[in-house]
């Protein structure tokens, strides 16, 4: 689930040694520094740090870190993006494909801000170059910009819900959190999942609805990694990917052949308003190129399509994936897991325009 770079000892010319780990906890080697100063290069890791009670130790965050609001407010932003978030989904996809083909990063560290933050701990990931600053770039810049100070570089790559849980332990151990703080965060995650499963079980008097979760519409991308498990926890079935498998491009014919009972739209990086706006423009516009085939899908005809906030509840491998499971339970089975369990707050039903 992670690998760990500590600088020094065993200097290998790039600021430290690399320790690769599976699901076991790192053995934290204390740094010769009493003050913990954390830079988080991923919104999910920022959320984990906050859950572990180390929010005050955050000295640098990304341009995308927005939760918890009281923790991220006023923090130094140390990254920037080369992707225009206002561009269309097709334009963003083309930009990503072009950048990856040329082995370019979609994001960059703001060197001055990063250096001035003087982190003792840098948290990042190397699973997906579309999600964060390229890991090799981070490692190289840490070795150059933090050369005079000891630091830890921790890269966490969760692919399943179990990995997300393990990442809480890994981050907690790296930051030398108390066992009580780690156990409390783990208990919230475990109990949240268990609560949804229990409530759903009471409603499972029929077969599990077949779900298609799309994390992009133009082109179509399946939801991957932890999405399969989230749907299962919420009382649905998911046959588009296996647990831990990456998301992938799918064709309209693939989706039609899959014939889902329910379609959940949760575009990566977009909030609920942007999701609904894009769906109406790309999929529900009678004059658009996708309307004819989209309107022929059974779930679309039966108004079993739901727009969701993919950015907050489905894309980030953070403890708030539990809220994503709650949302799925709400739309699949009407299980109101929280006072917010109603249309409009975290999801919206989409219907075909009147003829």
């Amino acid at each position: 689930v992670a690998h760990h770079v500590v600088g020094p000892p065993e200097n290998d010319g790039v600021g430290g040694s690399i320790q690769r780990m599976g699901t076991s906890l790192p053995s934290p080697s204390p740094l010769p520094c009493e003050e913990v100063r954390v830079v988080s290069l991923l919104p999910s890791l920022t959320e984990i740090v906050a859950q572990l009670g180390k929010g005050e130790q955050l000295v640098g965050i990304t341009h995308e870190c927005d939760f918890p609001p009281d923790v991220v407010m006023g923090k130094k932003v140390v990254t920037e993006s080369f992707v225009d978030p206002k561009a269309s989904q097709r334009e963003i996809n083309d930009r990503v494909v072009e950048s990856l083909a040329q082995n370019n990063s979609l994001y960059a560290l703001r060197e001055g801000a990063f250096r001035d933050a003087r982190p003792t701990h840098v948290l990042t990931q190397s699973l997906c170059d579309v999600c964060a600053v390229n890991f090799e770039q981070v490692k190289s810049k840490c070795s150059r910009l933090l050369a005079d100070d000891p630091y830890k570089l921790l890269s966490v790559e969760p692919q399943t819900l179990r990995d997300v849980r393990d990442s809480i332990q890994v981050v907690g151990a790296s930051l030398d959190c108390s066992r009580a703080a780690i156990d409390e965060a783990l208990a919230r995650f475990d109990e949240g999942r268990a609560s949804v499963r229990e409530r759903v079980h009471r409603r499972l008097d029929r077969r599990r609805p077949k779900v298609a979760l799309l994390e992009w519409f133009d082109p179509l991308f399946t939801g991957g990694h932890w999405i399969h498990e989230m749907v299962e926890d919420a009382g649905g079935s998911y046959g588009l990917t296996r647990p831990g498998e990456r998301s992938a491009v799918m064709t309209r014919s693939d989706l039609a052949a899959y014939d889902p009972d329910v379609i959940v739209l949760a575009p990566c990086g977009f909030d609920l308003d942007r999701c609904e706006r894009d769906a109406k423009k790309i999929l529900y516009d009678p004059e658009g190129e996708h309307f004819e085939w989209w309107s022929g899908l059974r779930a679309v005809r039966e108004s079993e399509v739901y727009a969701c906030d993919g950015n907050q509840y489905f894309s980030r491998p953070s403890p708030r994936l539990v809220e994503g499971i709650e949302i799925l339970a709400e739309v699949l089975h009407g299980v109101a897991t929280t006072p917010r369990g109603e249309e409009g707050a975290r999801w919206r039903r989409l219907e075909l325009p009147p003829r």
Side-chain angles (χ1 to χ4, degrees):
V1 68
H3 55 269
H4 201 217
V5 179
V6 182
E10 297 182 22
N11 194 308
D12 62 0
V14 292
S17 60
I18 298 179
Q19 176 186 352
R20 294 191 177 275
M21 300 178 296
T23 55
S24 59
L25 293 178
S27 300
S29 49
L31 296 171
C33 172
E34 294 183 358
E35 182 185 16
V36 173
R37 300 173 58 84
V38 182
V39 164
S40 169
L41 299 181
L42 207 63
S44 59
L45 292 172
T46 297
E47 294 183 23
I48 289 173
V49 171
Q51 278 232 350
L52 290 166
K54 292 288 186 177
E56 292 185 0
Q57 278 69 53
L58 279 167
V59 294
I61 58 175
T62 78
H63 59 285
E64 294 181 325
C65 291
D66 55 10
F67 191 87
D70 58 325
V71 170
V72 300
M73 184 179 300
K75 292 293 192 292
K76 190 185 298 292
V77 174
V78 300
T79 66
E80 58 185 335
S81 172
F82 302 129
V83 178
D84 180 4
K86 296 181 180 179
S88 70
Q89 289 199 18
R90 184 173 297 179
E91 289 169 340
I92 292 174
N93 180 74
D94 290 346
R95 176 73 176 88
V96 169
V97 170
E98 178 186 11
S99 179
L100 295 180
Q102 297 175 357
N103 202 29
N104 294 330
S105 179
L106 297 165
Y107 310 95
L109 280 177
R110 294 175 173 171
E111 293 193 6
F114 183 72
R115 182 178 54 246
D116 293 345
R118 297 182 296 107
T120 59
H121 296 71
V122 180
L123 309 180
T124 188
Q125 62 91 47
S126 62
L127 180 67
C128 175
D129 287 343
V130 179
C131 301
V133 182
N134 176 276
F135 178 71
E136 291 303 319
Q137 180 187 149
V138 173
K139 188 170 70 170
S140 174
K141 292 196 174 185
C142 280
S143 68
R144 178 165 57 85
L145 300 174
L146 306 178
D148 297 331
D149 298 299
Y151 66 89
K152 290 182 180 180
L153 173 59
L154 179 68
S155 181
V156 181
E157 288 89 40
Q159 300 181 55
T160 64
L161 290 180
R162 176 57 188 263
D163 291 344
V164 174
R165 185 186 192 279
D166 288 340
S167 69
I168 297 172
Q169 299 195 70
V170 170
V171 172
S174 180
L175 299 184
D176 200 25
C177 295
S178 70
R179 188 67 246 177
I182 296 173
D183 287 344
E184 182 180 348
L186 294 175
R188 281 197 295 268
F189 186 75
D190 294 340
E191 291 167 7
R193 290 185 65 189
S195 176
V196 178
R197 289 196 298 263
E198 181 181 353
R199 290 168 182 257
V200 165
H201 181 71
R202 300 172 189 165
R203 302 286 187 93
L204 279 179
D205 54 356
R206 57 187 178 87
R207 72 177 181 88
R208 289 172 174 258
K210 186 195 302 183
V211 178
L213 188 143
L214 303 180
E215 70 166 40
W216 210 249
F217 320 151
D218 193 16
L220 295 173
F221 269 82
T222 63
H225 295 306
W226 42 82
I227 295 298
H228 183 112
E229 298 161 283
M230 292 177 68
V231 172
E232 292 282 335
D233 274 4
S237 68
Y238 193 74
L240 296 181
T241 57
R242 295 184 297 273
E245 188 176 19
R246 287 176 177 266
S247 62
V249 177
M250 72 182 309
T251 67
R252 60 185 69 174
S253 298
D254 292 335
L255 185 57
Y258 182 63
D259 189 28
D261 300 307
V262 177
I263 298 175
V264 176
L265 305 178
C268 182
F270 289 165
D271 63 14
L272 177 55
D273 288 339
R274 174 68 189 266
C275 175
E276 182 179 31
R277 189 165 62 247
D278 277 11
K280 289 181 176 179
K281 182 177 181 180
I282 298 170
L283 303 172
Y284 283 86
D285 179 4
E287 304 300 321
E289 64 175 291
H290 298 288
F291 182 78
E292 182 176 356
W293 71 266
W294 178 257
S295 61
L297 296 173
R298 179 170 58 87
V300 176
R301 295 196 309 270
E302 296 176 356
S303 299
E304 289 293 339
V305 181
Y306 301 90
C308 298
D309 186 333
N311 184 43
Q312 298 291 331
Y313 305 119
F314 295 92
S315 302
R316 298 179 181 181
S318 80
R320 285 200 299 157
L321 289 178
V322 171
E323 293 191 49
I325 298 171
E326 292 174 353
I327 292 169
L328 291 172
E330 289 163 11
V331 302
L332 296 180
H333 299 290
V335 176
T337 54
T338 71
R340 294 168 293 179
E342 57 186 24
E343 183 172 357
R346 298 190 295 181
W347 55 270
R348 293 171 194 156
R349 185 191 295 265
L350 300 179
E351 298 181 344
L352 288 170
R355 293 183 181 274

